[in-house]
Amino acid sequence: MDRSPRVADVRDVAPVLRRALLGWFDREKRTLPWRETHDPYRIWVSEVMLQQTTFSAVSPRFAPFLDRFPDVGSLASATEDDVLAAWSGLGYYARARNLRLAARRIVGEHRGLIPRDPAALERLPGFGSYMASAVASLAFGARVPAAEANVDRVLARVFALPGVAGSGKLRERVLARAATLLPARRPGDLTAALMDLGQTICRPRRPLCPACPIEPHCAARRRGDPERFPRQRPKRSPVRLSLAAAVVQRSGRVLLVRRRSTWLDGLWEFPSAEGASVAAARRRLARRIGELGLELESGAPVGTARHSVVDRRIEISIFRARRGRRETGATGPDARWFLPRELDGAAVPTLTRKIAVAGLRPGCG
Ligand code: SF4
């Protein structure tokens, strides 16, 4: 049963929480490139990058992306390949595709201006309710609550909310309390304060409660074990699998093929195949590259690497391959011979870069 304070009770403590949070934010807010602006485009791009990607991974990628696509118009007119290349290394490439599609819709339907209305934002590709509220609130100062994992954690602790982290039920409870907390002035700053507090003080493990500006009002702190909130789902054990990859080099160039699948769709990768063991993956790879007129060289892998994606732990074995007896089919729009140095600016995921580092002959290209 939900024994946490009712939303009506939150109203009583809201003024003191607001004052404490905004005062702390004014003193302690982090200097972030997307904080130094009210440009909704920059704020939108930063929010998309920060979804499912850590601050430290986003930080060095933000400015180069904006150098390449400084506004909605340049993003809308870019090719998908260019946007994927600029996104390379950030993962979850559907975000980059949707960013470009949304930019095209903004140009086509909103005269190039990002809508202020959360409902209009939510109709754009890639905008769920969080993204619409975050952009409306952080960029336009709309009084709408926005909650991501940090806000969920802070408010779940302050109000000792029941519910599992990441669940719709917890999010509903958090949003109801966040809406009550938002001031008429600076609602976006209050949302940013909650996000910052979750990042820097109210961390998932070992929260720094003595340094927290709202510690006297925190129910989880009073109960003595803040880490219990929000309740965590039991972790699934990771799936381990083998991936065999083929490196084919010719005249200083290396063959990559365009991936066609829901994961990493449209990106360039070494011909590869998965399996429950290295031997099984190698057999599947031999069949796959046989269709391209190539064959694996015999012998042990020439390199190995490891890669983790969500709950998959991938052991990579790299094999050399060469032209087979029949004419190679490694041509056309879905196969391309790259100079190794061209991989830097191409739509290539981290997995492919790891294989290049571990499997290419030094000095090639
Ligand atoms: Fe989080 Fe501790 Fe602050 Fe409560 S007192 S909000 S648990 S940091």
Side-chain angles (χ1 to χ4, degrees):
M1 199 168 90
D2 183 353
R3 292 180 196 284
S4 54
R6 290 173 306 132
V7 173
D9 299 331
V10 174
R11 277 190 206 112
D12 299 337
V13 289
V16 66
L17 286 176
R18 270 179 215 140
R19 261 198 309 279
L21 283 164
L22 289 173
W24 173 81
F25 187 66
D26 289 340
R27 289 188 309 276
E28 307 285 344
K29 75 172 166 192
R30 292 178 301 164
T31 311
L32 305 172
W34 46 92
R35 284 270 173 77
E36 308 307 306
T37 176
H38 289 291
D39 178 354
Y41 173 69
R42 287 171 179 249
I43 291 170
W44 168 39
V45 171
S46 74
E47 281 300 317
V48 175
M49 284 189 175
L50 286 163
Q51 272 191 320
Q52 294 156 311
T53 303
T54 60
F55 165 76
S56 54
V58 167
S59 227
R61 314 302 302 275
F62 183 67
F65 188 89
L66 288 168
D67 285 346
R68 204 148 166 189
F69 309 112
D71 48 34
V72 174
S74 54
L75 183 59
S77 57
T79 64
E80 184 178 285
D81 238 24
D82 277 346
V83 179
L84 291 175
W87 200 264
S88 175
L90 281 167
Y92 298 97
Y93 290 85
R95 294 179 300 173
R97 267 187 220 100
N98 281 331
L99 201 60
R100 174 176 166 272
L101 292 176
R104 292 168 77 88
R105 287 265 299 274
I106 292 167
V107 166
E109 297 170 19
H110 301 277
R111 294 177 294 116
L113 299 172
I114 297 175
R116 303 172 77 93
D117 173 22
L121 286 167
E122 209 171 326
R123 287 194 287 275
L124 296 170
F127 274 79
S129 68
Y130 166 72
M131 188 59 64
S133 305
V135 172
S137 156
L138 300 173
F140 298 116
R143 200 175 170 195
V144 285
E148 34 69 286
N150 290 301
V151 177
D152 282 351
R153 184 168 59 258
V154 172
L155 294 186
R157 288 175 177 174
V158 174
F159 298 115
L161 298 178
V164 177
S167 67
K169 266 278 171 232
L170 178 67
R171 180 58 58 83
E172 222 174 84
R173 290 173 179 135
V174 164
L175 285 174
R177 271 88 183 163
T180 312
L181 282 182
L182 288 183
R185 286 185 58 240
R186 304 182 63 195
D189 281 354
L190 193 101
T191 298
L194 289 168
M195 290 174 176
D196 268 19
L197 193 70
Q199 272 279 337
T200 59
I201 304 273
C202 194
R203 308 175 306 193
R205 293 275 158 81
R206 294 191 295 280
L208 306 172
C209 299
C212 176
I214 49 176
E215 191 233 355
H217 314 284
C218 179
R221 169 76 166 158
R222 271 200 303 280
R223 293 182 187 197
D225 188 7
E227 286 187 35
R228 274 185 42 228
F229 295 93
R231 201 149 45 82
Q232 298 298 316
R233 279 205 177 90
K235 274 212 168 71
R236 281 192 301 174
S237 10
V239 177
R240 295 183 187 283
L241 55 90
S242 292
L243 182 105
V247 170
V248 196
Q249 287 178 262
R250 183 206 285 172
S251 310
R253 291 177 183 267
V254 60
L255 175 69
L256 298 188
V257 292
R258 203 189 280 278
R259 188 174 172 94
R260 293 293 175 206
S261 73
T262 45
W263 181 53
L264 303 179
D265 185 44
L267 278 84
W268 294 99
E269 64 173 8
F270 288 93
S272 57
E274 291 177 358
S277 64
V278 177
R282 189 187 189 284
R283 277 196 299 277
R284 292 186 64 196
L285 175 65
R287 278 198 298 277
R288 184 171 177 206
I289 67 167
E291 291 161 13
L292 296 171
L294 302 166
E295 61 186 27
L296 288 180
E297 292 180 3
S298 57
V302 293
T304 57
R306 285 187 176 156
H307 190 64
S308 295
V309 188
V310 197
D311 58 354
R312 288 152 49 105
R313 304 286 174 269
I314 306 169
E315 297 284 341
I316 307 160
S317 304
I318 305 160
F319 298 91
R320 290 215 187 285
R322 62 182 169 224
R323 236 171 128 163
R325 269 185 289 275
R326 65 189 179 79
E327 193 48 42
T328 178
T331 54
D334 284 349
R336 196 166 133 192
W337 295 87
F338 285 83
L339 285 170
R341 64 170 177 273
E342 290 174 334
L343 299 185
D344 276 346
V348 163
T350 304
L351 176 66
T352 300
R353 292 186 197 285
K354 286 186 180 175
I355 295 171
V357 168
L360 291 188
R361 288 190 189 104
C364 165

